[in-house]
Amino acid sequence: MAIERTLSIIKPDGVSSGVIGKIIGRFEEKGLKPVAIRMQHLSRHEAEGFYAVHKERPFFKDLCAFMTSGPVVVMILEGEGAVQKNRDLMGATDPKKAAPGTLRADFAKSIDANTVHGSDSLENAKVETAYFFRSTEQFSYEWKR
Ligand code: CMP
């Protein structure tokens, strides 16, 4: 399987409940390595830009309000099949429907406060990683290979 990069966000509920380390630990256990990472309090403009694809959806306003309610951790994860692997680790968007053992089943409280975001395709991963990180902010493991 190909090495991919995907965007992960630990949302304000994950940060405020103190599970940043546990979440990153789960990624690392499954071979997803952070290659860029930053804690950031999103402005309304940044949140609306990131979620622009959802701007006509009824939940857009609440989603952006939640995502700007406190700091988030944005990171790029690298690994084999990283996009799908991250989605599998997160579980369903609605934590009530998330499979046991997934991040959302274990930590999320509601569909808005659902603890993590992950890119849903390789194409979107390229757009989303570039939204938050310049290429010079992305680490490379090439030197180890
Ligand atoms: P996320 O993966 O960050 O992508 C969009 C977010 O919108 C999603 O997680 C949820 O937190 C939020 N959301 C709220 N209501 C819905 C809904 N009905 N369907 C999809 N996403 C929703």
Side-chain angles (χ1 to χ4, degrees):
M1 199 179 283
I3 301 284
E4 298 172 351
R5 289 185 170 203
T6 191
L7 187 81
S8 171
I9 304 178
I10 302 178
K11 296 188 179 188
D13 62 304
V15 172
S16 65
S17 58
V19 291
I20 296 172
K22 283 185 182 158
I23 291 171
I24 294 175
R26 291 209 193 171
F27 292 147
E28 291 180 325
E29 278 165 18
K30 295 291 178 188
L32 294 178
K33 297 176 176 176
V35 293
I37 191 161
R38 180 169 67 244
M39 193 171 220
Q40 182 171 343
H41 195 145
L42 299 180
S43 67
R44 176 157 290 269
H45 180 72
E46 287 165 338
E48 288 180 355
F50 181 71
Y51 281 119
V53 66
H54 294 305
K55 69 174 183 295
E56 304 303 334
R57 308 284 292 273
F59 56 82
F60 181 69
K61 199 162 167 267
D62 285 349
L63 171 63
C64 292
F66 177 67
M67 291 299 287
T68 56
S69 67
V72 300
V73 174
V74 287
M75 69 190 123
I76 299 177
L77 299 172
E78 182 186 82
E80 286 192 8
V83 173
Q84 189 58 48
K85 196 177 274 184
N86 182 35
R87 304 279 299 174
D88 293 345
L89 287 171
M90 289 194 303
T93 307
D94 182 350
K96 291 200 283 291
K97 297 179 185 155
T102 59
L103 292 167
R104 284 166 170 163
D106 289 349
F107 303 125
K109 296 166 192 75
S110 69
I111 197 163
D112 278 320
N114 66 352
T115 311
V116 277
H117 166 84
S119 309
D120 63 3
S121 67
L122 192 54
E123 192 186 358
N124 283 340
K126 292 194 170 108
V127 174
E128 293 186 355
T129 55
Y131 188 81
F132 282 109
F133 296 99
R134 297 190 301 271
S135 58
T136 50
E137 296 173 306
Q138 301 185 29
F139 182 71
S140 171
Y141 286 90
E142 284 301 320
W143 59 274
K144 281 183 70 178
R145 292 200 186 113

